[in-house]
Amino acid sequence: MNFASAGYKMAKKKQTEELAEKLLEPIARARGVQIYDVEYVKEGQEYFLRAFIDKDGGVTIDDCVDVSHDLSDALDAADPIPEAYTLEVSSPGLGRTLSKDRHFAASIGKAVEGNTFKPYDEAAGGKNKNFDGILKAFDGDTITIARADAKGNALEDLVLERKAVAKIRLKIDF
């Protein structure tokens, strides 16, 4: 695959997600849920359109079924996706991934965990890719994590380039 076709696929993915989210907005409003995220992915030979919904107190199976039926009807009417795909509607779950500014804004002060594509402390000879702490701040370019050692003593904040973060999600403590 060359860079041009990879760029085209990324643009098509983003365009499909944006279109699906626009179709989902009035449905979510009518059903009393919020859109957490929409993703369009290819796994193996199959395509999936996933809509993640949320509401205060959590979503129910009935919420997911109702939104799924309504969104399926809207997608059938608009017919924006040429290839066959599977539609999935669900809750983002407890360990929800943070990818959009609205996710970060809603998660300030919460415990997070994640990893980077390459060691974030590589310049100092380190090999750490995994991180955890409290989401302190974010902007268009960086994410700031407040950290502590095993005894609870504050460490220097970890400031990561957003593009260097492979995955960041809310941390689940059992």
Side-chain angles (χ1 to χ4, degrees), residues 78-148:
D79 199 21
I81 305 171
E83 50 277 321
Y85 63 92
T86 300
L87 174 63
E88 297 177 351
V89 176
S90 68
S91 160
L94 294 176
R96 56 192 63 190
T97 299
L98 309 179
S99 59
K100 296 186 164 97
D101 284 353
R102 67 180 182 238
H103 303 156
F104 286 100
S107 301
I108 295 290
K110 295 183 180 174
V112 295
E113 62 186 0
N115 58 349
T116 54
F117 290 108
K118 63 181 189 175
Y120 56 81
D121 57 355
E122 191 171 43
K127 298 181 190 225
N128 292 311
K129 287 183 168 184
N130 299 323
F131 60 86
D132 67 5
I134 304 299
L135 180 61
K136 186 174 180 179
F138 75 96
D139 60 32
D141 299 317
T142 62
I143 300 167
T144 303
I145 310 294
R147 301 182 299 156

Side-chain angles (χ1 to χ4, degrees), residues 46-57:
E46 297 185 46
Y47 287 91
F48 294 87
L49 178 62
R50 295 187 175 117
F52 299 96
I53 58 173
D54 203 6
K55 72 177 182 184
D56 291 339

